[in-house]
Amino acid sequence: MTIDDLTGKTGEWLRGEGAMSDVVLSSRIRLARNLADRPFLASASQTERTEIYRTLVDEITQTPTGADAMVVDVDDLDTVDRGILVERHLISHQHACGEGSRGVTISPDETQSLMINEEDHLRIQGLRSGLQLEAIWDDINAVDDAVSSRLAIAFDQDLGYLTACPTNVGTGIRVSVMLHLPGLKYTKEIERMARAARDMRLAVRGLFGEGTDAVGDFYQISNQTTLGKSESAIREAFSNRIIPKIVAYERQARETLIKKRTVKLDDRIWRAYGVLSNARRISGDETQSLLSPLRMGIHLGRFDRFGIAALNEMFLYSQPAHLQRLHGKSLEGQERAIARADYLRERIGAAT
Amino acid sequence: MSTVCQICMEAKATVHISDMAPTKRDRHLCEDCAEREGIIVKSHHTTNEILQQFIKQKVGLVTGDEFKCDGCGMTFRDFQSKGQLGCPQCYESLSPMLLPLIERAHEGHTSHVGKAPMTAEPTVRRQVGLVRLRRELQDALEGENYEQAARVRDEIEALESQ
Ligand SMILES: [Zn+2]
Ligand SMILES: [Zn+2]
């Protein structure tokens, strides 16, 4: 399996399936793990770093799920291929821009990716579309057990899993749910939601995680506390309380838009369609902000020129790395904006 | 200077640079595009906000040099500047400084609840096992169940010799 095989399809988390998929784009869980007998990366030498990388790749590929995984040496990749992995949410931005021996193993269906030498020696990540935390947990818990039965993992009886940064110590778990909240955005209730979430010690971020803006009305909600709360308690809070509550607010906001601002809502949706299907040059941010009302429009039955699958494809392929991959060459500024508009017109033409 | 980003043609350009090679040209980009182009690297430490705050408050109080890890030699001051620890042993060596910080970052929690590695950390497994077995031995002796006590004693000896 190669990066080329990945770019031919959209990946599991963009299937548009799973619970509450009208609002929940995707769910993710990651576990931070470190080898017990090695220094953390901040004080590891280049040699140690390479040894850690080799050890982990060797052992991971001998586990049941690791056997058919694609092993990618991120250090060897060019910028576009690194970008492809970031845009597909298989590695973090930090991992793409890092230095030295590092990599990722990716399951064929892209539901599991194991980042090696990111901030911690190992970050086991599971990703699925919609709200599917239990399914993800079953997958990555098994991977974690398989890895930890082969390698001694840094663990302390009192503090739990020892991580490079003390903010992850304990379970080392981060549960993140990506929500599409245009309703709350248009009704100007989004800040209130974000504040309430932050009061509950949840992090609210943009599409690509830490330090990014809420492009296309996507908001990622994740836990920050990793010590003193079990993995199941955190999942339970997300699956049964936090996410259903936000989803209910979002659905309510969408209902309000339909009832009280019908024309304004439809105008927004159809204007977005007009621009996307006619623009001659368009930025990535503008594309995302126009795809947002269309996504909502499809779910509300107010837009029918194409469905979620086509929309998710445009969502993915209009991003810089995928776009350049599609064109088979690197595109600079204006060129890229033109290529994006060309792609969108063509894709919409094929779908309608 | 208030120009629009040359790449996205949308956001305000806040990053201004002059490329010298191959030809001299001025570039005006927004922060996001500059980051995507690999010109700047934005901070990825929003998770560590609480930590950073706490570290700043502590900087005035101690030099941080008096706490040094036995395992990797990292001092608390090193940790303050890097934001990351040097090795698993750091948690123990730097614990007087770290524990209050951990408590603060995790809503007051200081002990782990959740899963443990399968075979990893045999010492911990052994300790947990020994604690349990010694208690069993005590119970067996108190109940005058000498056969059981002998069996438990053998188990303890086996674990201790590992
Ligand atoms: Zn820009
Ligand atoms: Zn150390």
Side-chain angles (χ1 to χ4, degrees):
Chain A
M1 218 169 97
T2 63
I3 305 266
D4 276 326
D5 297 327
L6 292 182
T7 51
K9 53 196 171 72
T10 49
E12 211 288 330
W13 64 279
L14 280 175
R15 283 167 75 105
E17 292 167 1
M20 306 181 202
S21 60
D22 55 329
V23 179
V24 181
L25 181 71
S26 62
S27 326
R28 168 165 43 180
I29 305 179
R30 73 110 164 100
L31 300 171
R33 301 291 187 251
N34 289 275
L35 300 179
D37 56 354
R38 294 287 183 173
F40 293 144
L41 295 165
S43 58
S45 66
Q46 286 308 318
T47 318
E48 282 170 321
R49 218 189 142 94
T50 304
E51 283 168 9
I52 293 165
Y53 176 69
R54 293 216 180 105
T55 304
L56 281 166
V57 168
D58 281 355
E59 296 298 332
I60 289 166
T61 48
Q62 289 178 58
T63 60
T65 52
D68 53 356
M70 160 174 151
V71 180
V72 182
D73 185 333
V74 174
D75 203 34
D76 267 357
L77 296 181
D78 64 26
T79 339
V80 171
D81 282 350
R82 283 179 199 167
I84 296 271
L85 298 181
V86 174
E87 289 169 8
R88 301 180 85 81
H89 291 222
L90 294 167
I91 65 171
S92 63
H93 193 282
Q94 191 182 339
H95 203 43
C97 300
E99 275 174 15
S101 292
R102 66 195 190 285
V104 61
T105 69
I106 301 165
S107 68
D109 64 357
E110 295 178 69
T111 57
Q112 293 162 39
S113 66
L114 280 65
M115 279 190 281
I116 303 167
N117 287 354
E118 200 235 30
E119 183 178 297
D120 293 291
H121 295 161
L122 181 63
R123 288 202 160 178
I124 302 169
Q125 174 181 267
L127 185 63
R128 282 175 186 268
S129 66
L131 188 63
Q132 296 200 58
L133 294 174
E134 291 313 304
I136 297 173
W137 174 254
D138 291 345
D139 288 348
I140 65 167
N141 187 36
V143 172
D144 183 40
D145 284 348
V147 171
S148 74
S149 62
R150 307 185 68 92
L151 290 161
I153 299 297
F155 183 83
D156 176 86
Q157 221 173 329
D158 294 325
L159 290 174
Y161 290 93
L162 303 177
T163 50
C165 183
T167 51
N168 294 317
V169 78
T171 52
I173 198 173
R174 173 157 296 149
V175 171
S176 306
V177 176
M178 186 73 73
L179 300 160
H180 185 229
L181 305 175
L184 291 174
K185 178 81 175 294
Y186 302 160
T187 55
K188 298 192 166 54
E189 288 174 88
I190 197 74
E191 269 312 309
R192 214 156 51 99
M193 186 286 298
R195 232 179 298 130
R198 286 185 182 114
D199 286 346
M200 293 171 69
R201 298 284 288 234
L202 299 167
V204 183
R205 303 190 181 89
L207 188 56
F208 288 99
E210 296 179 11
T212 60
D213 296 330
V215 178
D217 307 322
F218 286 108
Y219 296 83
Q220 185 177 301
I221 310 276
S222 42
N223 69 299
Q224 305 209 81
T225 302
T226 54
L227 188 62
K229 287 183 183 173
S230 71
E231 297 89 349
S232 60
I234 293 173
R235 286 192 327 270
E236 193 271 328
F238 271 80
S239 300
N240 300 335
R241 285 177 284 132
I242 299 163
I243 301 304
K245 203 169 198 171
I246 302 176
V247 168
Y249 284 141
E250 169 64 20
R251 285 176 179 162
Q252 208 171 42
R254 292 181 186 183
E255 278 307 307
T256 306
L257 289 174
I258 293 177
K259 278 193 198 129
K260 299 194 175 155
R261 295 185 228 165
T262 324
V263 176
K264 205 171 167 185
L265 174 68
D266 288 340
D267 186 59
R268 197 191 278 261
I269 293 169
W270 289 95
R271 269 173 191 273
Y273 175 65
V275 174
L276 286 169
S277 47
N278 288 292
R280 284 338 195 227
R281 53 172 213 178
I282 190 164
S283 75
D285 281 3
E286 187 180 4
T287 306
Q288 294 301 338
S289 66
L290 293 173
L291 287 174
S292 175
L294 292 191
R295 182 182 293 277
M296 177 169 66
I298 293 168
H299 286 301
L300 293 177
R302 308 192 79 82
F303 179 78
D304 54 5
R305 293 295 164 88
F306 50 79
I308 284 295
L311 183 128
N312 279 343
E313 213 181 294
M314 291 179 228
F315 168 83
L316 186 65
Y317 290 99
S318 61
Q319 293 178 49
H322 277 81
L323 195 65
Q324 293 180 74
R325 193 74 193 213
L326 220 55
H327 273 255
K329 61 173 184 144
S330 84
L331 300 166
E332 284 292 318
Q334 292 278 5
E335 271 184 323
R336 202 185 287 176
I338 293 167
R340 183 179 290 113
D342 290 346
Y343 160 73
L344 288 167
R345 287 200 315 279
E346 199 176 301
R347 187 65 191 81
I348 291 172
T352 52
Chain B
M1 183 148 61
S2 168
T3 36
V4 169
C5 170
Q6 290 169 340
I7 292 182
C8 65
M9 306 173 302
E10 208 172 51
K12 198 179 144 193
T14 52
V15 179
H16 309 282
I17 48 155
S18 292
D19 278 354
M20 296 311 286
T23 50
K24 184 180 180 330
R25 59 168 181 167
D26 291 328
R27 303 183 76 187
H28 308 286
L29 310 175
C30 72
E31 221 177 296
D32 287 336
C33 291
E35 192 187 22
R36 252 172 250 144
E37 294 286 295
I39 293 160
I40 59 161
V41 178
K42 279 202 285 191
S43 155
H44 288 276
H45 280 287
T46 43
T47 15
N48 301 350
E49 270 166 23
I50 307 161
L51 182 94
Q52 298 295 349
Q53 256 174 28
F54 192 81
I55 288 172
K56 270 182 210 138
Q57 286 164 6
K58 280 270 173 188
V59 169
L61 304 177
V62 290
T63 64
D65 280 337
E66 55 254 58
F67 295 97
K68 189 172 179 161
C69 174
D70 310 329
C72 68
M74 181 175 266
T75 63
F76 190 72
R77 190 199 287 271
D78 295 335
F79 167 65
Q80 286 175 329
S81 63
K82 287 186 182 176
Q84 287 185 21
L85 293 164
C87 77
Q89 176 69 34
C90 284
Y91 278 96
E92 206 176 310
S93 301
L94 307 179
S95 77
M97 297 301 295
L98 274 182
L99 271 184
L101 194 153
I102 287 171
E103 195 175 340
R104 186 150 165 159
H106 297 281
E107 300 178 68
H109 296 290
T110 50
S111 47
H112 173 58
V113 182
K115 72 176 288 194
M118 293 298 278
T119 60
E121 208 61 4
T123 53
V124 171
R125 292 249 157 179
R126 204 176 69 182
Q127 279 162 22
V128 176
L130 284 173
V131 169
R132 180 179 52 83
L133 287 169
R134 290 204 185 97
R135 210 169 285 152
E136 272 181 38
L137 179 62
Q138 189 78 32
D139 289 347
L141 288 171
E142 270 168 19
E144 296 184 348
N145 192 345
Y146 297 113
E147 230 181 271
Q148 165 82 359
R151 209 171 48 234
V152 174
R153 187 202 55 212
D154 289 345
E155 271 188 65
I156 291 174
E157 276 173 6
L159 251 188
E160 278 175 342
S161 65
Q162 267 178 25

